[in-house]
Amino acid sequence: MARKTVSRKRKAGEPKDQQQLGWCQAPNKRSRVSCSSRHAQQWWCGRRSVVCALRGREFRPQQQHELRLQRSLRGFAAGRLPGILKEREFSLGRLNKVFASQWLNHRQVVCGTKCNTLFVADVLTGQITRIPMMKDRESRGTGSGVVGTVVTGRHYQPTAGSRARLDQQGCGIHAIELNPSGTLLATGGDNPNSLAIYQLPTLDPVCVGDEGHNDWIFSIAWISDNMAVSGSRDGSMGLWEVTEEVMSQAERSQSDEGVPSYAHISHRALKDIPKEYTNPYNCKVRALAFNNNHKELGAVSLDGYFHLWKAEHNLCKILSTKLPHCKENVCLAYGQDWSVYAVGSQAHVSFLDPRQPTHNIKSVNSRERGSGIRSVSFYEHIVTVGTGQGSLLFYDIRAQRFLENPLNSGGGYRKFPGDGILKLSTGKGWLNHDETWRSYFSDIHSFPNAVYTHCYDDSGTKLFVAGGPLCSGLHGNYAGLWS
């Protein structure tokens, strides 16, 4: 009773207008609360909860610190790793000169050779698995010209005649590239003028682009997950699209037939590089590199020019500039973190930033004149250079110096390459003592193996290196894993 009496007294002590106000505005109050609740719900749906926001404020600096630490450790390892790399050679049998390579996973590398052989090498066991080549429709006399026509599996194996024809031409596979998601692989076909697409990880054939180029394909670059650009010796660049229709058609035909089969596609666009300022017969597209941030495609031609194209759903020219060293420009790479292109020439590596004037192009001398720069790549702040004399050089783009041999007592870096820089040399490889060798080279005891291709695995701790003799008339090969 005491509690009730107290309650009545408190109630009686309140003014009547407040009591009536509280009751009569209750419905309005409820309506206002429900309206504000709807706004609150909409506000919370568009934002994270308070708990998530507070936890983000608490852990974000720590995560950023961890990311910076990981990046610093990767950079430190990239600068120290070349000095402790050891070579392990592989036997490739009688294959002739490895021109292209890419890692498929932590133990498999896919390679292409001058003798037009596509194979997968297991770096743990040394096992070599050959991949059948895709053929043009023209070579079978169909000539339908319909995009997406499916070819049955019985045409998947190349004939001995086609191999002989390609060996006589002396071209082979110059480019192998994986799309950003790692689900498709682009390379050359049985006809070196054609683009072949394989599905990963099975390496089943998807399609071949056999209408476009009139000469060998030298380079390939993916500009999206389903669009690739090919650069040809005929001075043109082809844009190819692997549509969902082509993918489903190839998969459906494989399941129906029970054997691998593939479709045929035509180019989406075909552009010629500018020829107005140079000899049109020397305008051969030699190398491509894609800048994903700005959707720009860099191209190097053998006439000593660098061309920049906007590459999204089409190819639109942006600029062309003369390179400071214009002999034997055969390799190109783009450093995403540094926004520069690295161009390899006869004796220099030139670093080109399209946003800067041409007189700001910096070039580094390799000190191996006559042999040429045959391959170049970026990993962190280290630019790896493969030469025609079988050397691997490592340039620190931050310090703007070549890495020095850690066995030297002086320590530090050297600005110019010389006796003190770190230089790894490829092994002996295999050389065919054929009629050409017996007639012209039998008095020479050893031949260096040009580093035509090299690539790092995802961890950055393994470097696959391959190539062969620099002289075009010699038949041989080299492949090694540096780790």
Side-chain angles (χ1 to χ4, degrees):
M1 295 297 295
R3 293 179 63 182
K4 290 183 179 180
T5 304
V6 172
S7 178
R8 288 181 184 140
K9 287 183 179 180
R10 287 179 179 174
K11 203 73 170 178
E14 295 179 359
K16 292 184 178 181
D17 55 347
Q18 290 185 11
Q19 296 176 22
Q20 295 176 357
L21 184 63
W23 284 104
C24 67
Q25 288 191 354
N28 297 331
K29 184 176 181 181
R30 284 196 295 269
S31 64
R32 287 198 302 271
V33 170
S34 61
C35 181
S36 61
S37 298
R38 286 195 300 270
H39 290 296
Q41 291 173 0
Q42 295 174 0
W43 188 84
W44 286 115
C45 288
R47 300 172 182 269
R48 296 184 302 174
S49 66
V50 174
V51 175
C52 293
L54 292 177
R55 287 179 65 86
R57 291 178 57 186
E58 179 180 355
F59 291 107
R60 191 178 298 114
Q62 180 180 353
Q63 294 173 353
Q64 293 176 350
H65 174 72
E66 291 177 354
L67 290 175
R68 287 195 296 267
L69 179 60
Q70 292 176 3
R71 185 64 183 272
S72 299
L73 290 175
R74 286 199 303 268
F76 177 82
R80 296 298 184 269
L81 181 68
I84 59 175
L85 290 176
K86 300 298 180 183
E87 180 193 33
R88 181 165 67 91
E89 277 196 59
F90 295 100
S91 173
L92 301 181
R94 300 181 65 85
L95 295 175
N96 188 22
K97 298 178 185 176
V98 181
F99 282 155
S101 64
Q102 288 290 337
W103 285 87
L104 293 178
N105 48 55
H106 70 283
R107 61 180 293 175
Q108 290 181 316
V109 182
V110 58
C111 304
T113 69
K114 183 178 180 179
C115 55
N116 215 51
T117 300
L118 184 68
F119 68 91
V120 175
D122 190 317
V123 299
L124 296 183
T125 64
Q127 181 180 356
I128 302 297
T129 305
R130 299 198 181 199
I131 308 301
M133 305 292 291
M134 283 185 263
K135 301 172 68 174
D136 291 358
R137 55 188 137 200
E138 289 83 4
S139 63
R140 296 182 307 277
T142 60
S144 62
V146 179
V147 178
T149 304
V150 175
V151 183
T152 56
R154 65 178 181 273
H155 299 293
Y156 193 36
Q157 288 287 351
T159 63
S162 66
R163 285 199 184 101
R165 170 176 56 83
L166 291 169
D167 286 343
Q168 185 177 4
Q169 287 181 339
C171 173
I173 299 172
H174 283 267
I176 298 175
E177 291 294 333
L178 276 61
N179 69 341
S181 64
T183 57
L184 295 175
L185 180 146
T187 184
D190 183 66
N191 179 358
N193 305 353
S194 301
L195 180 77
I197 306 293
Y198 294 85
Q199 192 169 12
L200 295 176
T202 59
L203 283 171
D204 289 331
V206 175
C207 61
V208 58
D210 50 14
E211 288 185 350
H213 299 302
N214 299 318
D215 211 333
W216 308 336
I217 290 178
F218 272 153
S219 185
I220 300 169
W222 288 92
I223 64 173
S224 69
D225 232 21
N226 65 335
M227 297 185 71
V229 177
S230 57
S232 172
R233 194 169 177 256
D234 64 4
S236 67
M237 297 192 304
L239 179 62
W240 310 85
E241 182 177 13
V242 185
T243 63
E244 291 294 335
E245 180 183 0
V246 171
M247 291 291 299
S248 60
Q249 195 173 13
E251 292 173 359
R252 185 169 58 252
S253 63
Q254 290 175 23
S255 60
D256 293 342
E257 299 288 340
V259 291
S261 56
Y262 50 92
H264 291 268
I265 61 174
S266 295
H267 57 80
R268 178 169 176 159
L270 193 66
K271 302 285 186 178
D272 291 331
I273 61 172
K275 301 178 176 65
E276 58 268 21
Y277 302 113
T278 184
N279 183 359
Y281 298 102
N282 203 27
C283 293
K284 302 169 183 176
V285 181
R286 196 58 181 83
L288 301 173
F290 183 60
N291 174 3
N292 188 50
N293 290 339
H294 296 94
K295 305 299 179 183
E296 294 174 351
L297 181 69
V300 168
S301 53
L302 285 180
D303 58 353
Y305 274 83
F306 172 84
H307 310 276
L308 192 66
W309 300 73
K310 193 70 175 179
E312 289 185 275
H313 302 292
N314 206 334
L315 297 174
C316 301
K317 179 193 168 185
I318 299 176
L319 61 87
S320 296
T321 182
K322 185 72 172 177
L323 294 168
H325 304 281
C326 54
K327 292 183 178 180
E328 298 185 30
N329 303 115
V330 297
C331 54
L332 175 69
Y334 181 73
Q336 202 76 35
D337 296 333
W338 309 96
S339 300
V340 294
Y341 292 89
V343 183
S345 62
Q346 190 179 55
H348 297 81
V349 179
S350 300
F351 296 97
L352 173 66
D353 185 349
R355 300 167 299 180
Q356 300 294 328
T358 56
H359 62 266
N360 287 341
I361 299 177
K362 176 181 176 58
S363 298
V364 180
N365 192 334
S366 70
R367 295 292 179 91
E368 290 190 1
R369 292 188 175 275
S371 63
I373 307 298
R374 300 298 163 177
S375 58
V376 63
S377 69
F378 284 85
Y379 181 73
E380 294 295 330
H381 61 286
I382 301 299
V383 180
T384 304
V385 179
T387 73
Q389 291 293 330
S391 301
L392 286 167
L393 308 175
F394 304 91
Y395 184 78
D396 189 333
I397 196 171
R398 292 189 308 195
Q400 298 187 13
R401 297 181 178 93
F402 280 94
L403 294 183
E404 186 182 277
N405 193 330
L407 299 179
N408 293 339
S409 58
Y413 294 87
R414 301 256 178 134
K415 187 173 182 180
F416 299 104
D419 296 334
I421 70 168
L422 176 63
K423 181 185 294 187
L424 304 181
S425 298
T426 57
K428 185 178 180 181
W430 171 79
L431 183 64
N432 186 14
H433 293 176
D434 54 9
E435 185 63 30
T436 302
W437 178 85
R438 288 191 295 269
S439 300
Y440 302 101
F441 303 101
S442 59
D443 56 337
I444 302 177
H445 299 289
S446 62
F447 289 88
N449 289 299
V451 181
Y452 289 117
T453 178
H454 68 267
C455 52
Y456 287 90
D457 70 341
D458 290 337
S459 68
T461 59
K462 298 177 183 177
L463 177 62
F464 181 82
V465 182
L470 183 63
C471 179
S472 61
L474 291 176
H475 185 115
N477 64 65
Y478 164 81
L481 180 67
W482 293 78
S483 59

